[in-house]
Every structure is written in structure tokens, then in C-alpha cells.
Amino acid sequence: MSIEIVSNNSLVKEKYENVIFVEGDYIDVLVSCRDLIHKGYSLISHPLPASIRMVFSSIRSIVLEKNSSFDEESALIIEDSIEKYRLTMKNRKVDYRNVKDYEFVDLMLVESAIEEHRVLTSF
């Protein structure tokens, strides 16, 4: 099984080789992940961040893993995440002023997700 990172974060792109780089905003990353999940990938990290402030960011990275079969749970999670993101951002504006800060926080979240996945799958 191989891990891929779908991201629009330039720091993630610089650090990792296995990045599917998305030119666009957070919603574009979500849609790209949805498309990959329908092609046999599953979620390693959750598409929505724990902090509402990070939802207002234009930056997002999501860790996926290539599987041999369709992961229905990941498909449900990504569809629900797209819907929640659109609903949340309906009356909000994306925060482009703090992109560098969001990139740094997002990179830390990716590093943490990969390390956690490594530990959990090593048993």
C-alpha cells in the first residue's frame, strides 16, 4: 500500500515526493481526494481539520493510501466533508492573508498523520 498526499501547500510539496499537488483552494483539494477515493484510495487523515479557523484557510493537505478495493467509509466521509465545507463557507470568506502560517500548521498536521499511520500499521 502506498501513501499519497493531496495538497495545495508548497511546504508539503517541497518536503515530500509523494504529493499530488493541486493548483487551487481547499475545496479543490477535497474534490481531488474524492476523485481518488473513487479510484481506490482511502483516507489516512480526516479531510476537515479540528480547528474551525483552519477551515477558513485556503491551504489543506490530506493523506491517502492506495488500496486494492473501493473504501465506502472514506467515500462517505469525503462527500460529507465537501458538503460541510460548502455549508460553512457559504457566508464566510477564505483567509488569504495568513497563508504562510496556514502552510506551516498544515505541514505539521501532515507530519503527525504520517507518523501516526506508520506507528499504527507497524504492529
Side-chain angles (χ1 to χ4, degrees):
M1 311 264 174
S2 65
I3 289 179
E4 297 287 344
I5 305 164
V6 179
S7 179
N8 65 349
N9 184 342
S10 60
L11 296 178
V12 172
K13 182 181 178 184
E14 290 172 16
K15 181 167 184 170
Y16 294 99
E17 293 178 7
N18 54 332
V19 174
I20 299 169
F21 193 75
V22 175
E23 295 286 346
D25 286 333
Y26 190 153
I27 189 66
D28 301 307
V29 172
L30 290 172
V31 170
S32 294
C33 285
R34 181 198 59 203
D35 295 347
L36 287 170
I37 288 168
H38 285 280
K39 293 177 182 176
Y41 284 79
S42 62
L43 292 167
I44 299 298
S45 63
H46 199 282
L48 296 176
S51 165
I52 189 68
R53 188 74 194 133
M54 287 297 291
V55 173
F56 302 142
S57 162
S58 63
I59 301 300
R60 188 67 179 152
S61 299
I62 302 170
V63 183
L64 301 169
E65 184 174 46
K66 179 69 173 151
N67 290 323
S68 58
S69 62
F70 177 72
D71 183 356
E72 185 177 348
E73 184 176 354
S74 288
L76 292 172
I77 290 170
I78 195 70
E79 292 292 349
D80 185 57
S81 296
I82 290 170
E83 184 178 326
K84 286 180 179 174
Y85 177 82
R86 286 185 172 145
L87 182 64
T88 300
M89 297 306 291
K90 190 174 187 177
N91 297 315
R92 298 280 191 160
K93 293 194 187 307
V94 175
D95 178 6
Y96 293 106
R97 292 177 310 183
N98 300 300
V99 169
K100 292 297 177 196
D101 293 332
Y102 289 131
E103 285 183 328
F104 181 72
V105 171
D106 182 68
L107 175 61
M108 290 189 313
L109 292 170
V110 167
E111 291 169 346
S112 176
I114 291 171
E115 178 61 19
E116 182 178 334
H117 180 67
R118 186 190 63 76
V119 169
L120 291 173
T121 58
S122 68
F123 291 104

